[in-house]
Structures are given as C-alpha cells and as structure tokens.
Amino acid sequence: VGTGLAGVAVLVIARLASGIFGWRETRLAERLIPTTPAERSTFAFASCVSGAGEELAYRGFLLSLLVATFDAAWIAVLVSSLAFAILHAYQGPLGIVRTAVIGVIFAWAVLATGSVWPVVVGHIIINGVAGLVLGRWLLQRD
C-alpha cells in the first residue's frame, strides 16, 4: 500500500507541476480513462493484469537481471526505470518522467524488501486510482 500511495503522490505532484513545463496528457492517454460502467469494469481488470505483468517483467525479471549483471544497484535501478518509462511513451513527456520516477521508487522498494509483490500491489493501486478516481482531474487542462 505504501508503494501505491507513493506512486499516487507522484501522479498528483506531476499533475500540479505539469503546467510549468507545458506538458499535458496525450490524446491516447485521455481515451484510456473509462467513462461508462462497462469501461470502468474493464479498466479495473486491465489495471490488475497490467500492474502485475509490468512489475513481474520490469522489477521481477529485468531489475534482478541487471543487479546480477552490474556491481552497482543504482545502475540496475536507473536502466530498469528508464526501460519502464519508455514503455509509457504513449503518455508523452509527462508520462515518461512520471513513470521513470515511479520506476525508481518501485525498484528501490524491491531491493529493500527482496520481493516484487509490494510493488505489484502498488502498481495496481496506482492504475486504479489514476483511471477510476483521479482520471478526469489528471486530464484537466489549465
């Protein structure tokens, strides 16, 4: 839950700071926010699947591989977080930066706990809150 709250805090801070850089959500990201009850149900399911899948791939597999490859954990954290951020390039510069920061937080959480499961839960929380609770606010254009 702590990793989820940290990630939601990053979403809120990024939204508040986005005006400084003139960054907005992309049209594709806007289209992903559910509006109907059926879309909300599908989004909730997709949030669970994508959250678990991305964390198993980027923190469970890639981070572990990079830690074993490099002597410095920070290199593994940086490379895995950048790869994770690039996956979210469809969200534009705002999404890339936001996701890179969340990736760093999640990578350190995995290294600190020795488990990927806290960040799986955190990722699902972030996805759900971003799409089902804060979605419209995150999309507002100042």
Side-chain angles (χ1 to χ4, degrees), residues 1 10 13 16 18 21 24 33 39 44 56 59 64 66 80 83 88-89 102-103 105 109 116 124 126 130 133-134 137:
V1 173
V10 170
I13 291 167
L16 296 173
S18 63
F21 301 101
R24 299 181 192 175
I33 301 298
E39 288 175 353
L56 291 172
R59 257 62 72 184
S64 299
L66 294 171
S80 65
H88 293 82
I102 292 170
I105 293 167
V116 72
I124 292 168
I126 292 168
V133 179
L134 296 178
W137 179 74

Side-chain angles (χ1 to χ4, degrees), residues 31-42:
R31 294 193 60 161
L32 292 175
I33 301 298
T35 56
T36 68
E39 288 175 353
R40 292 175 67 78
S41 296
T42 302

Side-chain angles (χ1 to χ4, degrees), residues 129-140:
V129 169
L132 302 173
V133 179
L134 296 178
R136 292 287 146 217
W137 179 74
L138 291 170
L139 297 176
Q140 286 177 351

